[in-house]
Amino acid sequence: LQQLRPLIPACLVVSEEDKTSQRYRNNKNSFWLVDPLDGTKEFIAHSDEFTVNIALIEEGHSILGVVYAPAMDYMYWGGPGLGAFRAGTDVQTIRVNQGSVHEICRVVASRNHLNTETQAFIKQLGKVDLVQAGSSLKFCRVAEGVADIYPRLAPTSEWDTAAAQAVLEGAGGMVVDLNGYPLRYGKPDVLNPPFIAARNTILLPA
């Protein structure tokens, strides 16, 4: 918080762990949306796949996102019109897979939240190769071209998705609800609708 506040002095910080800050979460304000620890189950299980998520929200849109995996020392960042990048041993530009749709669809799925509805959606895709990942790294797998689609039909909150949505959109992908509309932020309800994160519209249901 000490680092974020000076960047844009008029911009408030909304954090999952600070209940009093959540009154600033509305679609008329610009605000930072922070999840200090995404992937709690992975963290408790001593997996490396937990993240810190930081997003900049303007008028309901996530315009900039940073996803940092501290145990892996990987950072992803980007936003619509800004591109997307990954920093590990060096900094690389990342992009969703640009190739044709393969016979086998690479689906990234949660280890802990693969519910019946999500399983049914995956079954409709035909032949799939499951790419498992934790926390918001699931979006990043699509953004860097390792996976093609991430369906999430189980509950999530705005701070779970905002930063990674910006990264994926910067990489040329999309995060939309089941009606094809991008996820929005600062809603009256902090819960997201079911959504699909994908490299392009070809993989979305008709």
Side-chain angles (χ1 to χ4, degrees), residues 26-31 57-61 63 184-185:
N26 67 70
N27 57 19
K28 295 180 181 179
N29 286 341
S30 296
F31 59 94
I57 309 298
E58 283 191 357
E59 297 183 349
H61 299 277
I63 64 168
R184 297 293 299 274
Y185 298 93

Side-chain angles (χ1 to χ4, degrees), residues 101-122:
V101 177
H102 296 289
E103 184 176 325
I104 297 178
C105 182
R106 298 169 303 166
V107 181
V108 63
S110 171
R111 292 189 177 92
N112 298 303
H113 303 284
L114 191 59
N115 63 357
T116 302
E117 292 81 4
T118 305
Q119 290 175 339
F121 179 91
I122 292 173

Side-chain angles (χ1 to χ4, degrees), residues 124-203:
Q124 295 175 3
L125 296 172
K127 293 182 179 179
V128 300
D129 182 12
L130 287 180
V131 180
Q132 292 194 323
S135 67
S136 55
L137 290 172
K138 294 184 284 292
F139 295 86
C140 298
R141 296 292 178 261
V142 181
E144 62 190 352
V146 174
D148 299 307
I149 188 170
Y150 163 41
R152 181 59 182 261
L153 309 185
T156 58
S157 296
E158 290 188 354
W159 41 69
D160 297 320
T161 60
Q165 177 175 349
V167 173
L168 179 52
E169 290 179 349
M174 61 189 63
V175 183
V176 297
D177 64 22
L178 299 185
N179 294 314
Y181 296 104
L183 293 192
R184 297 293 299 274
Y185 298 93
K187 308 184 305 299
D189 188 346
V190 73
L191 293 179
N192 292 316
F195 66 83
I196 300 167
R199 65 183 178 105
N200 54 35
T201 58
I202 295 174
L203 296 173

Side-chain angles (χ1 to χ4, degrees), residues 50-70:
F50 60 92
T51 59
V52 179
N53 302 335
I54 302 173
L56 179 59
I57 309 298
E58 283 191 357
E59 297 183 349
H61 299 277
S62 181
I63 64 168
L64 173 67
V66 178
V67 175
Y68 180 52

